[in-house]
Structures are given as structure tokens and as C-alpha cells.
Amino acid sequence: MINWFKKDESELPEFWQKYSAKFSKDQKEQPINDTTFVVLDTETTGFDQEKDRILSIGCVKVVNNKLLVSNSFEIYLKQEAFNPDTVEIHGLIKHERFETFTEEKALRLFLKYIGNAVLVAHHAGFDINMINAAMKRNHLPKLKNRVLDTGVLYRKTRIISNFIDQHKNYSLDEIALAYNIDLKDRHTAIGDAFITAIAFLKILGRLKRKKLKELFKI
């Protein structure tokens, strides 16, 4: 996505100002154990970042190699762009009885939760692009957080292990199977976030990197 935002950030809402102010320090040199990671997943009405919309966002924090189960984030968005073909996948229906929030309110709460954490997702480009498309609709800049993709990180563990399929684009199901991770909550945003977070911790253990910058060199 092109950099669409031209407005002076000082003109943006207070919630953006508070979020943006957290990025004044360079995080690259800090140890991984001192880094806050937010592992996220989105469920959407489809795969077109312009036409489709986010139905829900699920996140969980990872700090010091620990999954903070009690500090998770799950939110459902009000939406009109309903695609019945995706219900079979994510299980959400248009009039399900969830508390829902406007896109703007959901983004505000999401930004407050993530702060300046490093974001982690499986095939992260899709989730980040969908969130940035929502930011654009609400006249906000793109996310400022650094992003890691568990698909890319996992592939690096296969290269280390000298497997011949080192260039394969692994699905979350394949990684979960490889690490014996329970898939019972698959295809909900918070369920997939938890599965991805467990996979991320296992990947970190295999990669044995110490500094944050080393993960971004992979």
C-alpha cells in the first residue's frame, strides 16, 4: 500500500498521539527477553483489503518467553459487508450475539493495547494490510509497529535443520502439527492468535536469537 497520509500528525486524534509518542526510542538493539510481542490474527469478510472488512481481531502478548494468557485482546466489529462464503471458515455470522464496536472505536482500543510492541502474525502481510486499510478509512496513518511473520521465522528453522522443503510457504495448520499444538480453537481470531503465539515461542526456542535485530535479519 502506498503512503497515503499527508496530514500533519499533530492534527490527529489524541488516541493516535498517545500511540505515536511511544515510538520515540529505537527498539532494535534490545534483548528479545525484554521485548513485548503482540501476536495477532484477524477474521475478515474476505481477502480483498479494499472491499472486505475486519470482523474480529484477536491478540495475546508474549513477554520474556511467556504467553500472557490473562492479558489477551478480542474485539468484534460492526459490519455490513457480509460474505456468507466465509462463515464456514471463521464461524461468525452477521447477527451473532457479540458486543460489537465501530471500526474507529475498535482501532482506538487496538492501538491502546498494542502500544509500541512488536507485532507477530502468521502470513502477517494480510492482517497488517487489512488493519492499515481500516486505518486509512478512518483518516489515520499506517501502523508504526515492527512486524514479524511466523511463516518466515518457521522456514528459517527448516533451513537450519537442512530440510529440502526450506522454501515452502507453510500454513498455520502445518506448523501446529509439527509442534503438536492443539487446533481446537482454529479459525477464530483469538484462537488463531493463541496458536500462533505458541508456535512463535517454539520457533524462538529453535532459532536461539538473543537480540531483537537478529530476528529482523532472517
Side-chain angles (χ1 to χ4, degrees):
M1 298 174 70
I2 62 172
N3 184 12
W4 64 78
F5 202 82
K6 304 295 184 182
K7 188 186 295 185
D8 186 337
E9 289 195 17
S10 65
E11 301 175 24
L12 291 173
E14 183 180 0
F15 72 86
W16 174 269
Q17 303 287 346
K18 290 180 179 180
Y19 162 77
S20 183
K22 297 176 181 178
F23 291 87
S24 57
K25 295 182 180 180
D26 193 321
Q27 299 172 289
K28 290 188 295 185
E29 298 297 328
Q30 70 187 48
I32 289 174
N33 286 352
D34 294 339
T35 302
T36 297
F37 298 95
V38 168
V39 186
L40 68 90
D41 183 74
T42 62
E43 294 299 330
T44 67
T45 59
F47 301 105
D48 188 318
Q49 67 187 58
E50 297 298 328
K51 295 179 181 179
D52 286 300
R53 297 292 183 268
I54 297 170
L55 292 169
S56 63
I57 305 173
C59 307
V60 62
K61 288 184 178 178
V62 171
V63 181
N64 193 20
N65 291 315
K66 293 182 177 64
L67 179 59
L68 305 185
V69 176
S70 63
N71 191 8
S72 60
F73 175 90
E74 184 177 23
I75 198 165
Y76 295 88
L77 283 68
K78 294 178 181 177
Q79 48 79 37
E80 295 300 327
F82 177 64
N83 181 356
D85 293 335
T86 63
V87 171
E88 185 176 344
I89 298 173
H90 53 61
L92 297 175
I93 59 175
K94 186 175 182 181
H95 299 298
E96 189 64 76
R97 293 181 179 179
F98 300 116
E99 181 181 8
T100 58
F101 297 84
T102 64
E103 191 173 68
E104 187 272 341
K105 176 67 172 179
L107 292 173
R108 185 190 313 177
L109 294 173
F110 173 71
L111 292 178
K112 182 178 180 180
Y113 178 81
I114 65 174
N116 65 350
V118 175
L119 303 182
V120 181
H122 192 70
H123 299 161
F126 173 76
D127 298 285
I128 298 304
N129 283 339
M130 288 298 293
I131 293 170
N132 278 334
M135 301 283 277
K136 180 179 179 180
R137 284 192 295 274
N138 287 273
H139 312 291
L140 296 169
K142 294 179 180 180
L143 293 172
K144 292 192 171 188
N145 307 69
R146 299 182 67 132
V147 180
L148 290 169
D149 189 322
T150 49
V152 174
L153 295 176
Y154 179 72
R155 189 161 59 238
K156 182 63 176 179
T157 70
R158 306 291 280 188
I159 294 172
I160 291 173
S161 302
N162 294 315
F163 278 76
I164 60 173
D165 56 349
Q166 59 188 245
H167 300 296
K168 183 177 176 179
N169 191 17
Y170 293 93
S171 70
L172 184 57
D173 297 85
E174 289 174 307
I175 296 176
L177 180 62
Y179 289 144
N180 196 29
I181 301 171
D182 193 336
L183 289 171
K184 67 179 180 180
D185 292 323
R186 186 79 169 95
H187 296 307
T188 65
I190 193 64
D192 283 1
F194 274 112
I195 292 167
T196 304
I198 295 169
F200 177 60
L201 286 171
K202 290 181 179 291
I203 290 167
L204 287 182
R206 296 201 176 202
L207 291 176
K208 297 180 180 179
R209 301 299 201 268
K210 301 297 184 183
K211 293 289 186 69
L212 184 61
K213 66 178 181 180
E214 295 173 343
L215 288 180
F216 287 99
K217 289 181 178 180
I218 292 175

